[in-house]
Amino acid sequence: MEPEYTGLISFGGFARGVQVPHEPGTQHMIFGKRAFFGYLVRADGEIFWFGNHDYPGKPTRQELQSIPQREWRRQLNELYHDEQPHVMNIIRATQGDIGVYPIYDMISAPAWYRDSAVLIGDAIHAVSPNAG
C-alpha cells in the first residue's frame, strides 16, 4: 500500500534575534485557532519552528515549493495574526526560506514480529507529525 496524504501540509524555518517564552531543551506546541505551531529555542538562541494546516487536493512537494516565499509569508500571517504575539515575531524573524511539504501517513505493517525480533511504536508505524 502507498502512503496516504493526510490533508495537511507542514512548514517551518529557523529564526534568530527574537525573544520568546521558552525553557531550555523544551519543545513548545501551540494549538491555534486555525493551525498548529511549534518551536524550540537552542542554547545559542536560534529558534527552529514548524507548523501545519489543512491543504486541499494532494499537492506534491515541488508544487508547494513553487509557490513564492512572499505568498507563504502572507498565508502564515493570515493563519497566525491573532495568535500569541511571539508566533508572528518568530515567523517575521525568519531570514531563510520557509520549507513546505505535504504530510503523508504510512500504512501500518500487518506483522509486528518475526522470529526473535519485535517492532514497537514508531518503528512499526511512523505516524504523521500532526498525529504523533
Side-chain angles (χ1 to χ4, degrees), residues 1 13 21 29-30 47-48 62 64 71 75 80-82 95 97 100 103 108-109 112 128 130 132:
M1 297 186 113
M29 306 217 183
I30 301 164
I47 301 169
F48 164 66
Q62 292 77 21
L64 295 172
E71 176 59 19
Q75 287 186 30
Y80 298 116
H81 73 277
D82 58 352
Q95 302 216 346
D97 285 348
V100 184
I103 301 174
S108 64
W112 292 41
S128 62
N130 65 299

Side-chain angles (χ1 to χ4, degrees), residues 6-29:
T6 62
L8 297 170
I9 61 169
S10 188
F11 41 83
F14 296 89
R16 286 191 170 279
V18 62
Q19 296 296 316
V20 297
H22 73 282
E23 287 184 43
T26 301
Q27 188 168 295
H28 300 271
M29 306 217 183

Side-chain angles (χ1 to χ4, degrees), residues 13 27 29 32-34 36 41 49 59 70 79-81 89 95 104 113 125:
Q27 188 168 295
M29 306 217 183
K33 297 172 186 146
R34 288 172 294 282
F36 167 82
V41 180
W49 65 269
R70 68 182 175 281
L79 285 173
Y80 298 116
H81 73 277
N89 292 340
Q95 302 216 346
Y104 281 80
Y113 62 91
H125 183 235

Side-chain angles (χ1 to χ4, degrees), residues 18-107:
V18 62
Q19 296 296 316
V20 297
H22 73 282
E23 287 184 43
T26 301
Q27 188 168 295
H28 300 271
M29 306 217 183
I30 301 164
F31 293 90
K33 297 172 186 146
R34 288 172 294 282
F36 167 82
F37 189 86
Y39 67 95
L40 174 73
V41 180
R42 294 176 33 153
D44 67 358
E46 181 179 52
I47 301 169
F48 164 66
W49 65 269
F50 54 95
N52 62 37
H53 76 96
D54 59 319
Y55 196 90
K58 195 174 179 181
T60 66
R61 188 170 190 164
Q62 292 77 21
E63 289 169 344
L64 295 172
Q65 290 175 337
S66 72
I67 298 170
Q69 286 289 307
R70 68 182 175 281
E71 176 59 19
W72 283 120
R73 289 177 186 267
R74 186 194 67 71
Q75 287 186 30
L76 295 179
N77 188 57
E78 283 183 19
L79 285 173
Y80 298 116
H81 73 277
D82 58 352
E83 297 293 345
Q84 299 174 24
H86 59 274
V87 171
M88 283 308 302
N89 292 340
I90 291 170
I91 294 170
R92 283 188 207 106
T94 302
Q95 302 216 346
D97 285 348
I98 294 170
V100 184
Y101 56 92
I103 301 174
Y104 281 80
D105 197 12
M106 303 296 289
I107 305 305

